[in-house]
Amino acid sequence: MTIGEMLAATVPMARTLNLEFRETTPDKAVVALPDRSEYHNHVGGPHAGAMFTLGETASGAIVLAAFGEQLSRAVPLAVSAEIAYKKLAMGSVTATATLGRPAAEVVAELDAGQRPEFPVSVSIRRGDGAVTGEMTVIWTLRPNG
């Protein structure tokens, strides 16, 4: 099962919004929100809540790709998130997530018995490439037990 398939199967909102997982690697996750009228706001573009879910899902996809080998000993959890809406989003939008710290550094903290926190940056773009939103999600790996 791919990370996208796993998220669609286990995260109801990802499935509800029919998010498309285009790329999921430890270096980058790319997830798209299709243009559907039921996701629109009062100006005809994707609702802010749908874009937030898109960005948070892209951040979760890269976390699973980068730290999937740690799932037997730690649970990834979003700690906080901040989003800025930059331009009017119309049509399909795509979120690209990248880790804000090297994965090896985060794993070293986990190995040392700590509960590491790390940022994931997300850029949300419309079809013409314009950035419509920027998001930062702080994640942690909570050790089991």
Side-chain angles (χ1 to χ4, degrees):
M1 185 179 281
T2 68
I3 289 172
E5 291 168 340
M6 183 173 64
L7 284 171
T10 60
V11 179
M13 277 306 294
R15 192 171 53 252
T16 297
L17 291 176
N18 295 300
L19 298 180
E20 302 165 3
F21 295 85
R22 297 189 174 165
E23 180 180 347
T24 306
T25 70
D27 297 314
K28 179 170 65 169
V30 180
V31 181
L33 173 69
D35 183 24
R36 295 181 56 172
S37 62
E38 58 265 38
Y39 307 154
H40 288 178
N41 59 18
H42 62 289
V43 293
H47 189 277
M51 290 197 303
F52 183 95
T53 300
L54 169 68
E56 196 273 343
T57 301
S59 76
I62 196 169
V63 168
L64 288 175
F67 302 107
E69 293 178 2
Q70 308 307 318
L71 294 180
S72 63
R73 66 184 184 136
V75 176
L77 298 169
V79 174
S80 65
E82 184 174 305
I83 191 165
Y85 301 101
K86 300 291 189 178
K87 289 188 178 195
L88 183 61
M90 298 298 283
S92 178
V93 289
T94 303
T96 302
T98 55
L99 287 178
R101 288 179 56 200
E105 188 178 285
V106 174
V107 172
E109 288 181 15
L110 187 63
D111 290 342
Q114 299 173 16
R115 181 176 169 166
E117 288 191 3
F118 54 94
V120 175
S121 298
V122 181
S123 177
I124 302 171
R125 296 176 184 274
R126 60 187 185 207
D128 66 2
V131 174
T132 62
E134 294 175 339
M135 184 175 196
T136 301
V137 183
I138 305 298
W139 284 84
T140 189
L141 296 179
R142 185 190 74 198
N144 295 335

